């Protein structure tokens, strides 16, 4: 049986978040983007709304709204601003997710309540200067010395890792070698402020200019051995599971951003007149908007299906990769056309499509490039592209 | 002291209103429904009063078809304690009087000191139910309220009157207060609030339970018409600037009668 209706709760949630996003985020997004400013005030407001910890149980301070609702929330925020959506998406799926799914009770009790209110942010330290798609190339190491891990190495492009409220980073480190000769990878919780751990905000980004991105350095950084997340050697598995979920977030950001760019273009096409009539009435523009509306409808079905699969605890990774790939692509296409419809004004910062045009660029790169999504999808077809 | 808040579900003001073919009503297909904005002020004021320790419980009361549950759940998600929903096809097309009578019936046996509501619903702009309800209940009423102070069983309400002045009205409970813009800034329903709202009680009442139906109507809607389509604007591009300004002023005075 198919049912395309959202539940009453999901409709209320969408309406409330849309309202919140338009009033609290939409009014400051352009200025924050221009100043490259990460707003802690906005994080706190989003914490009050319950936008962190959306799949965390109430016991640990979450709202446990489920995956479809989570996707709707990210979509609604991305419809207004990509940077803020990045803070939420990374906060939930990369920061809170691994602690909630793989942490022990003490770790959850220590971190989750503060993360769910937005008092603190957690980050996921995976990418390294020379290890992007090829995460096996990681060089960061953690060596057990008595009761402590000693961590050395560096990470790059880590969202939410270097702000004044960044509380902890889940660091992927090599902790040894497996019997098959591959590297043994583990995740270790490293609180910001630990001696030997330096987090430096990265600036001059093309996109997501008001999200917090950090470059991390570990020099003989020592943390208690209890900070190991889950079991030693589970790091690779934990990362794959986290990225499966992260794809849903990025997909939702593509979907929401595409919706925002589409709405701006549609509105502009009805307001702007040339040759004596609104430009939306010219077929050249009307067809662009018709294509965009069609792509959005298709993308939303794919996206919600991926979220639904996860909510139903069915295998979802393959469809999540498709959703991430497709939603990022349509955001690219729709943002491009939205600028085209705006003409010269679309190149100016006074118009939101200029920001959407820049923000979409990340989505085909972050949390697995579009090319890597195709690897995941191809493997789901029983093919085996050799990237091992 | 308990507070009852009247909540009406109305079309989002951004909805495009189309009439049915026979002009008997507007087409409700494809409308986005929301909680009336003035009722949001009323909900917020009730919640603030409870949070200040001056009320024990906030009950929201609404009338309308099944879909209105969403407006009531929104109020519950904002923080109201429970809800009463009067839902019965016999009330379809009920006018202000029949609605007021139904609401009065629904409040039988309900213990309250204050009834809060919006001064008007932004769909039909009637602005009559609050006054009628207060009359039917035989309680004091203050309308167009932008500030409320509660001390014991005394309510001081500030009314917005012409010219920006405030009329200060004092009344003993029970009292009905009809809110206007400026009373407060309604909160958003948080995600935990939305989840909690699902578990809060929502009681259904029928037309028979509340002793009213559309048969009680005192008025009948004869038909609907849409406002005339707005004409395209005029742009003055030719000639000297001073001449163009003069033309605009002339038209504003003679045609638009705006000056």
């Amino acid at each position: 049986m198919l049912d395309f209706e959202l539940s009453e709760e999901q409709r209320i949630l969408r309406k409330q978040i849309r309202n919140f996003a338009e009033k609290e985020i939409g009014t400051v997004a352009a200025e924050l983007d221009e100043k490259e400013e990460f707003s802690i005030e906005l994080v706190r407001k989003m914490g009050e709304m319950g936008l962190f910890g959306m799949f965390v149980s109430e016991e640990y301070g979450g709202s446990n709204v489920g995956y479809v609702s989570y996707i709707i929330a990210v979509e609604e925020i991305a419809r207004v601003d990509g940077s803020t959506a990045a803070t939420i998406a990374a906060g939930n799926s990369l920061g809170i997710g691994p602690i909630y799914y793989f942490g022990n009770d003490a770790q959850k009790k220590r971190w989750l309540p503060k993360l769910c209110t937005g008092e603190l942010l957690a980050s996921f330290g995976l990418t390294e200067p020379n290890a992007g798609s090829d995460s096996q190339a990681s060089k960061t190491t953690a060596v057990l010395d008595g009761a402590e891990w000693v961590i050395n190495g560096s990470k790059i492009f880590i969202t939410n890792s270097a702000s004044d409220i960044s509380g902890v980073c889940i660091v992927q480190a090599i902790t040894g070698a497996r019997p098959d000769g591959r590297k043994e990878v583990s995740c270790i919780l490293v609180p910001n402020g630990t001696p030997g751990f330096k987090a430096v905000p990265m600036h001059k980004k093309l996109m997501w200019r008001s999200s917090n991105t950090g470059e991390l350095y570990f020099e003989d950084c020592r943390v208690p051995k209890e900070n190991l997340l889950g079991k030693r050697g589970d790091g690779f598995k934990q990362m794959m599971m986290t990225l499966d979920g992260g794809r849903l977030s990025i997909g939702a950001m593509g979907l929401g951003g595409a919706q925002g760019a589409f709405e701006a273009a549609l509105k502009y096409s009805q307001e702007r007149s040339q040759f004596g009539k609104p430009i939306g009435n010219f077929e050249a523009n009307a067809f662009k908007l018709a294509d965009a509306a069609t792509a959005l409808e298709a993308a939303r079905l794919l996206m919600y299906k991926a979220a639904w699969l996860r909510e139903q605890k069915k295998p979802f990774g393959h469809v999540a990769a498709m959703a991430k790939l497709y939603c990022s692509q349509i955001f690219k296409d729709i943002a491009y056309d939205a600028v085209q419809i705006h003409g010269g004004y679309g190149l100016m910062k006074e118009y939101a499509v200029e920001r959407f045009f820049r923000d979409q660029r990340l989505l085909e790169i972050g949390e697995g490039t579009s090319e890597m999504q195709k690897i995941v999808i191809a493997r789901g077809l029983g093919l085996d592209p050799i990237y091992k | 002291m308990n507070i009852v808040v009247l909540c009406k579900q109305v079309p989002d003001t951004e909805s495009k209103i189309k009439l049915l073919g026979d002009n008997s009503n507007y087409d409700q297909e494809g409308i986005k429904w929301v909680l009336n904005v003035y009722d949001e002020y009323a909900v917020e004021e009730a919640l603030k009063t409870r949070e200040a320790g001056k009320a024990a419980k906030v009950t929201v009361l609404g009338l309308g078809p099944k879909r209105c549950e969403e407006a009531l759940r929104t109020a519950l998600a904002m923080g109201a304690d429970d809800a009463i929903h009067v839902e019965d096809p016999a009330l379809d097309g009920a006018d202000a009087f029949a609605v007021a009578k139904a609401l009065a019936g629904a409040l039988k046996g309900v213990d309250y000191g204050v009834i809060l509501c919006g001064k008007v619903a932004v769909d039909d702009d009637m602005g009559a139910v609050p006054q009628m309800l207060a009359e039917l209940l035989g309680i004091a009423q203050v309308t167009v309220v932008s500030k409320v102070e509660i001390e014991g069983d005394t309510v001081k309400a500030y009314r917005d009157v012409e010219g920006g002045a405030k009329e200060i009205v004092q009344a003993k409970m029970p009292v009905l207060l009809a809110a206007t813009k400026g009373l407060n800034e309604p909160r958003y329903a948080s995600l935990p609030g939305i989840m909690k709202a699902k578990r809060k009680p929502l009681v259904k009442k029928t037309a028979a339970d509340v002793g009213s139906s559309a048969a009680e109507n005192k008025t009948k809607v004869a038909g609907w018409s849409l406002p005339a389509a707005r004409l395209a604007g005029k742009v003055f591009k030719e000639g000297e600037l001073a001449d163009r300004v003069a033309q605009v002023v002339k038209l504003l005075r003679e045609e638009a009668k705006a000056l």
Side-chain angles (χ1 to χ4, degrees):
Chain A
M1 194 191 77
L2 280 173
D3 182 358
F4 292 108
E5 289 287 340
L6 295 180
S7 69
E8 179 182 82
E9 160 200 336
Q10 286 161 343
R11 290 196 302 270
I12 294 174
L13 180 139
R14 183 192 287 283
K15 212 171 281 174
Q16 294 294 321
I17 296 175
R18 177 168 293 199
N19 215 350
F20 174 87
E22 286 177 353
K23 287 193 191 138
E24 309 292 337
I25 302 169
T27 47
V28 295
E31 188 189 340
L32 293 174
D33 174 80
E34 178 63 13
K35 291 184 180 164
E36 281 198 291
E37 186 182 320
F38 175 71
S39 169
I40 289 172
E41 190 194 338
L42 209 46
V43 172
R44 295 277 150 80
K45 280 185 187 171
M46 294 194 288
E48 273 175 39
M49 268 301 275
L51 287 167
F52 293 98
M54 281 189 260
F55 38 77
V56 172
S57 65
E58 291 175 19
E59 175 191 5
Y60 295 111
S63 51
N64 200 16
V65 294
Y67 266 90
V68 175
S69 291
Y70 168 63
I71 288 313
I72 293 171
V74 174
E75 180 191 347
E76 285 301 325
I77 294 169
R79 176 180 164 271
V80 170
D81 183 43
S83 293
T84 314
T87 304
I88 283 292
N92 277 279
S93 73
L94 302 182
I96 289 172
I99 298 177
Y100 182 58
Y101 291 120
F102 314 126
N104 59 37
D105 192 55
Q107 289 165 340
K108 290 191 212 183
K109 281 198 174 118
R110 176 171 177 194
W111 296 110
L112 292 177
K114 285 181 181 171
L115 294 172
C116 289
T117 55
E119 187 183 331
L120 290 179
L121 289 168
S123 59
F124 189 61
L126 169 63
T127 302
E128 296 187 5
N130 292 310
S133 297
D134 183 8
S135 66
Q136 277 282 318
S138 291
K139 290 201 171 64
T140 298
T141 58
V143 178
L144 206 50
D145 177 24
E148 289 177 329
W149 291 105
V150 183
I151 304 168
N152 280 287
S154 67
K155 300 286 174 181
I156 196 164
F157 308 134
I158 310 302
T159 305
N160 290 343
S161 68
S163 74
D164 291 344
I165 54 168
S166 298
V168 61
C169 182
I170 302 146
V171 179
Q172 277 240 329
I174 295 154
T175 47
R178 298 196 317 194
D180 65 1
R182 301 191 77 189
K183 290 165 179 169
E184 179 196 82
V185 179
S186 307
C187 286
I188 298 167
L189 294 166
V190 184
N192 286 63
T194 304
F197 171 24
K198 199 166 82 175
V200 183
M202 298 173 77
H203 289 294
K204 302 194 177 179
K205 286 181 290 181
L206 169 74
M207 53 351 101
W208 289 10
R209 287 167 54 87
S210 65
S211 81
N212 178 266
T213 309
E215 203 166 354
L216 313 179
Y217 302 94
F218 302 92
E219 275 181 42
D220 292 329
C221 174
R222 286 174 173 268
V223 294
K225 74 172 198 272
E226 294 75 38
N227 285 23
L228 181 71
L229 189 70
K231 287 208 295 283
R232 183 170 175 162
D234 272 0
F236 187 73
K237 199 171 81 190
Q238 291 168 352
M239 173 199 75
M240 293 309 278
M241 286 170 71
T242 301
L243 290 187
D244 274 347
R247 282 179 194 123
L248 294 175
S249 307
I250 298 282
M253 291 185 65
L255 178 60
Q259 180 72 35
F262 166 74
E263 286 177 29
L266 178 63
K267 185 164 176 274
Y268 186 80
S269 78
Q270 290 164 321
E271 289 168 358
R272 167 82 170 173
S273 278
Q274 289 288 273
F275 305 104
K277 60 177 179 176
I279 60 169
N281 290 346
F282 292 106
E283 203 169 272
N285 295 321
F287 280 15
K288 283 188 182 79
L289 291 161
D291 283 341
T294 307
L296 272 165
E297 191 70 26
R300 187 165 286 113
L301 290 176
L302 182 57
M303 189 66 238
Y304 286 14
K305 167 136 186 228
W308 178 84
L309 285 170
R310 176 153 203 189
E311 201 159 288
Q312 300 296 314
K313 297 191 166 55
K314 293 174 193 282
F316 70 96
H318 184 230
V319 182
M322 291 176 178
K324 196 248 179 203
L325 174 70
Y326 187 64
C327 292
S328 310
Q329 279 174 353
I330 71 148
F331 188 13
K332 174 188 72 181
D333 295 341
I334 293 175
Y336 185 92
D337 282 348
V339 169
Q340 193 68 19
I341 286 170
H342 277 70
Y345 295 105
L347 305 172
M348 306 304 291
K349 287 193 188 295
E350 291 143 73
Y351 287 81
V353 290
E354 183 268 346
R355 183 161 41 86
F356 281 94
F357 183 76
R358 286 184 284 109
D359 281 343
Q360 57 81 19
R361 199 62 192 88
L362 178 129
L363 302 186
E364 291 213 274
I365 295 172
E367 289 196 48
T369 58
S370 284
E371 292 77 4
M372 292 312 283
Q373 303 310 314
K374 291 180 191 180
I375 303 284
V376 173
I377 297 164
R379 282 191 184 142
L381 302 175
L383 304 171
D384 193 16
I386 39 158
Y387 281 93
K388 285 184 180 171
Chain B
M1 193 272 285
N2 296 330
I3 300 178
V4 172
V5 186
L6 309 183
C7 288
K8 186 177 183 186
Q9 193 187 41
V10 297
D12 191 326
T13 47
E14 284 177 18
S15 301
K16 289 206 170 63
I17 301 292
K18 284 180 290 190
L19 299 187
L20 294 175
D22 62 357
N23 290 340
S24 62
N25 205 339
Y26 61 94
D27 188 355
Q28 308 207 342
E29 279 299 311
I31 295 270
K32 263 175 62 190
W33 300 95
V34 296
L35 176 58
N36 178 39
V37 60
Y38 291 104
D39 296 348
E40 278 187 17
Y41 300 133
V43 173
E44 177 65 30
E45 197 63 21
L47 297 176
K48 276 168 66 180
T49 307
R50 189 192 63 194
E51 284 157 5
K54 292 178 177 177
K57 193 172 90 162
V58 174
T59 300
V60 290
L61 167 61
L63 181 151
K66 172 95 176 127
R67 60 170 161 74
C68 296
E69 256 182 54
E70 193 174 317
L72 293 170
R73 286 274 176 221
T74 302
L76 292 174
M78 287 170 76
D81 298 291
D82 57 8
I84 304 169
H85 183 195
V86 184
E87 181 194 344
D88 197 319
L91 284 154
D92 287 353
D95 73 358
F97 178 76
V99 168
K101 195 165 176 216
L103 296 177
L107 289 175
K108 244 179 220 142
V110 177
D111 175 40
Y112 60 86
V114 173
I115 298 174
L116 272 157
C117 58
K119 67 169 181 179
V120 68
V122 298
D123 52 357
D124 58 20
D125 260 346
M126 189 69 109
V129 168
Q131 295 86 334
M132 288 180 177
L133 175 61
E135 285 300 309
L136 289 171
L137 295 170
I139 64 172
Q141 56 172 292
V142 191
T143 56
V144 201
V145 170
S146 59
K147 187 177 166 188
V148 176
E149 288 166 1
I150 295 177
E151 265 325 311
D153 65 349
T154 303
V155 174
K156 203 193 263 185
Y158 294 67
R159 301 188 69 242
D160 282 3
V161 291
E162 290 294 317
K166 300 272 183 196
E167 181 183 35
I168 303 162
V169 181
Q170 196 165 300
K172 287 271 184 211
M173 291 181 193
V175 58
L176 177 144
L177 305 172
T180 191
K181 200 177 171 180
L183 180 61
N184 51 47
E185 193 58 48
R187 70 195 64 189
Y188 307 101
S190 71
L191 273 54
I194 293 169
M195 295 307 279
K196 281 191 198 110
K198 287 199 293 186
R199 301 191 287 264
K200 290 179 177 173
L202 188 150
V203 178
K204 296 275 183 182
K205 287 191 188 285
T206 63
D209 293 339
V210 300
S212 182
S213 73
E216 301 278 349
N217 282 4
K218 303 281 188 197
T219 59
K220 183 167 173 277
V221 177
W224 288 66
S225 70
L226 289 175
R230 221 173 34 191
L231 298 171
K234 285 181 191 162
V235 181
F236 300 88
K237 284 182 180 166
E238 308 296 323
E240 291 296 314
L241 183 64
D243 296 339
R244 281 185 274 159
V245 171
Q247 282 179 55
V248 172
V249 171
K250 184 164 181 272
L251 287 174
L252 281 173
R253 183 169 291 152
E254 293 172 6
E255 205 166 278
K257 303 205 189 312
L259 295 177

